[in-house]
Amino acid sequence: MHKGFIYIFIFLLSVTSAKASFILVPMDETTQQNHLKAYGITYWCLSKDYKASWLLNYRGGSFLLPDAEEIRKECKIRGVSFEIISDSEEASILNDISSPSQNMESVVLEKAPKIAVYTPKGKQPWDDAVTLVLTYAEIPFTPIYDEEVLSDQLLLYDWLHLHHEDFTGQYGKFYAAYKNTPWYIDQKKDAEALAAKLGYAKVSQEKGAVAKKIRDFVVGGGFMFAMCSATDSFDIALAADGVDICEAMFDGDASESNYQSKLNYANSFAFKNFTLERKPEVYEFSDIDMTSKRKIQMEKDYFSLMEFSAKWDPIPSMLCQNHTQLVKGFMGQTTSFDSALIKSNVLVMGVCELNGESRYIHGEKGKGMFTFFGGHDPEDFQHQVGDPPTVLDLHPNSPGYRLILNNVLFPAARKKKLKT
C-alpha cells in the first residue's frame, strides 16, 4: 500500500514537471510564419506586465514568454507561430544558451517602451517604413512633430523615429523635379507658416532647433532611429548650426559664403569630413550618401549583417537579430553611407560587400543611443514619390523590416555595457 502511494506521488510529480509553463516564439526561417507580428506579440506581453526574454542567436532570435491562455489566443489571432515548452525544456534551452561555447545570450525584456514617430500632420506623397511596420505589428505609437518637440514633449517617450525628413530647411532637395507640383508648394507654405508660428524667421532655423532638441533627447538617455534622408540631413543640420547653407529658393536669401569651411563636425552624431552638395537642383545633400556612386544592379544588391558576441556585445547583437545574415538591399534618397565618412566611435552593423558601403550603423551619444538605416523601404527596391505603400501582408518575414523592429524592441532590454 505504501509503495502504491509512492508510485502515485512520483507519477504526479513527473506530470507536474512536464506541465507546459512557457511559450517559445521561434524566429528562425522555417518555423515562424509571421516574424513581424511576433515582435508585436512580445511588445503586447510587456505592455500587459508579463515577463519576457529575448534569446539572442537562438533560432533566429526567439522570444520566451510565460504560458498564459490570453497569450496563446493572441498568437493565434495574429498568426504568430509558437511552441509550448515545459519547465525542464526551458531550463535546458537556457543552459545551452549560457554555455561559453555558444554565441547566444538570454536578455530580459523589462517594459514596453513608449514610442514616438516624428512625422508631419498632413498626408505626404511617400510612405514611411517604420510607421507601416509598427501599424502592421500592432505596436502603438504617437505621432509628434515640431511643436511637440520644441515644447519638450520628447521627455514623455523612450524611443523616437525620424520620418523621411529634411532637417536642413531645403525641402528635401526636391526643387528641380517638383517645385511646380501642388504638394511641394503646399509643403513649403505650411513649413514657413509653422516656422513663423513658432517664432523663427526661416524654416532652416526652426528645423535646426528641432534637430538640437532631438540631440538633447538622445544625450539625456533616449533612443533614436532614423532612415533615408533623416539620417544625413540630421547630422548636417547639427554640423551647420548657425551657418546659412540654404540658397535663395529655399529661404529667400543667398547662402553664407564659404559655408563648407564653417561646418563643425564635432556636433554631428555619426558622420565626419563630409562635403555638402551646393547645387540646389541636385537631389542630394552631401557626399555621405552613396546613391549616385554605387552602381549596383538590383539582383546583386544585398548587404551582410555583422556578427557580434551575444554575451559580450548584446546591444549590436540585439539590433542584428535575424533569420538570415544576408539582407536584400533597397534604395532611397539616402541609400547608404560612405564608410570613410563615418566616425571611428560609430559601429557598422551592415555592409555591402560589393563596394564596402555601410547600410546600418549604431552609436552612443551621451546617455542615449542612435541607429541609422540607409534606404527608404526594405521591400521596395526603388520607391518613387507617389508610389503606393508596401503591403506588409505580402512580406511577413521581411529581414529588412525585422531590423527596424529590433530597434523598436531594443529599449525594453535590460542593458549590459558594450564591450567592443
Side-chain angles (χ1 to χ4, degrees), residues 51-121:
K51 293 181 180 179
S53 294
W54 199 347
L55 309 183
L56 305 185
N57 294 343
Y58 178 78
R59 294 180 64 182
S62 301
F63 299 109
L64 187 64
L65 310 173
D67 185 23
E69 185 57 38
E70 67 172 338
I71 299 178
R72 294 192 191 194
K73 181 179 179 182
E74 201 66 28
C75 286
K76 291 175 183 176
I77 291 172
R78 300 192 190 191
V80 173
S81 307
F82 66 97
E83 300 170 9
I84 307 300
I85 62 174
S86 66
D87 281 333
S88 59
E89 288 173 316
E90 182 259 0
S92 177
I93 290 171
L94 294 182
N95 185 58
D96 288 344
I97 288 173
S98 66
S99 170
S101 65
Q102 297 295 325
N103 185 19
M104 299 179 189
E105 182 65 296
S106 175
V107 175
V108 175
L109 301 179
E110 297 184 304
K111 66 167 189 171
K114 295 179 180 178
I115 297 169
V117 173
Y118 175 86
T119 181
K121 303 291 192 291

Side-chain angles (χ1 to χ4, degrees), residues 73-330:
K73 181 179 179 182
E74 201 66 28
C75 286
K76 291 175 183 176
I77 291 172
R78 300 192 190 191
V80 173
S81 307
F82 66 97
E83 300 170 9
I84 307 300
I85 62 174
S86 66
D87 281 333
S88 59
E89 288 173 316
E90 182 259 0
S92 177
I93 290 171
L94 294 182
N95 185 58
D96 288 344
I97 288 173
S98 66
S99 170
S101 65
Q102 297 295 325
N103 185 19
M104 299 179 189
E105 182 65 296
S106 175
V107 175
V108 175
L109 301 179
E110 297 184 304
K111 66 167 189 171
K114 295 179 180 178
I115 297 169
V117 173
Y118 175 86
T119 181
K121 303 291 192 291
K123 181 176 172 57
Q124 303 293 299
W126 52 77
D127 54 76
D128 173 54
V130 174
T131 306
L132 286 176
V133 77
L134 287 173
T135 302
Y136 180 74
E138 300 179 58
I139 296 175
F141 64 93
T142 303
I144 64 170
Y145 204 49
D146 294 354
E147 289 180 274
E148 290 83 1
V149 172
L150 292 173
S151 60
D152 292 321
Q153 292 186 40
L154 284 179
L155 295 173
L156 301 173
Y157 304 97
D158 303 303
W159 190 87
L160 173 68
H161 165 58
L162 305 184
H163 176 84
H164 186 109
E165 185 62 53
D166 174 8
F167 290 97
T168 70
Q170 298 176 92
Y171 307 102
K173 296 294 290 288
F174 286 120
Y175 179 76
Y178 297 104
K179 61 180 178 291
N180 295 319
T181 59
W183 68 262
Y184 181 91
I185 294 169
D186 289 344
Q187 279 193 6
K188 187 172 186 294
K189 182 173 67 176
D190 291 345
E192 290 169 347
L194 180 59
K197 176 184 176 182
L198 295 173
Y200 296 88
K202 295 181 177 182
V203 171
S204 57
Q205 294 170 352
E206 188 259 335
K207 290 296 183 186
V210 169
K212 287 188 285 186
K213 283 287 187 181
I214 294 171
R215 173 203 63 195
D216 294 345
F217 163 75
V218 177
V219 169
F223 300 85
M224 183 188 79
F225 178 80
M227 289 185 71
C228 201
S229 62
T231 58
D232 49 354
S233 76
F234 176 79
D235 256 16
I236 290 168
L238 292 178
D241 183 28
V243 182
D244 186 351
I245 64 172
C246 297
E247 302 302 336
M249 67 285 295
F250 301 129
D251 67 355
D253 58 27
S255 63
E256 213 167 300
S257 62
N258 200 25
Y259 63 65
Q260 177 66 46
S261 65
K262 300 175 183 179
L263 298 180
N264 185 352
Y265 300 114
N267 290 343
S268 59
F269 275 28
F271 305 114
K272 64 180 181 181
N273 303 330
F274 49 84
T275 301
L276 300 185
E277 174 52 63
R278 297 189 64 94
K279 297 177 182 177
E281 65 274 10
V282 175
Y283 182 58
E284 186 62 272
F285 292 106
S286 73
D287 59 349
I288 294 171
D289 177 38
M290 293 287 291
T291 301
S292 62
K293 298 177 281 186
R294 56 201 313 269
K295 311 300 182 188
I296 299 175
Q297 298 175 346
M298 183 174 70
E299 59 273 14
K300 296 182 180 179
D301 195 357
Y302 287 85
F303 64 94
S304 302
L305 296 175
M306 311 296 281
E307 187 173 359
F308 300 93
S309 169
K311 290 180 173 61
W312 291 96
D313 291 335
I315 291 173
S317 293
M318 277 185 272
L319 297 179
C320 290
Q321 289 302 289
N322 226 308
H323 48 281
T324 175
Q325 290 295 110
L326 200 61
V327 182
K328 185 170 56 177
F330 53 100

Side-chain angles (χ1 to χ4, degrees), residues 14-85:
S14 65
V15 169
T16 303
S17 64
K19 181 178 180 293
S21 57
F22 290 93
I23 292 175
L24 178 71
V25 179
M27 296 294 279
D28 54 291
E29 186 170 10
T30 57
T31 308
Q32 183 53 252
Q33 61 182 340
N34 198 315
H35 288 91
L36 305 186
K37 286 188 179 287
Y39 288 89
I41 285 290
T42 305
Y43 187 97
W44 180 85
C45 288
L46 294 173
S47 71
K48 297 281 186 179
D49 295 323
Y50 284 109
K51 293 181 180 179
S53 294
W54 199 347
L55 309 183
L56 305 185
N57 294 343
Y58 178 78
R59 294 180 64 182
S62 301
F63 299 109
L64 187 64
L65 310 173
D67 185 23
E69 185 57 38
E70 67 172 338
I71 299 178
R72 294 192 191 194
K73 181 179 179 182
E74 201 66 28
C75 286
K76 291 175 183 176
I77 291 172
R78 300 192 190 191
V80 173
S81 307
F82 66 97
E83 300 170 9
I84 307 300
I85 62 174

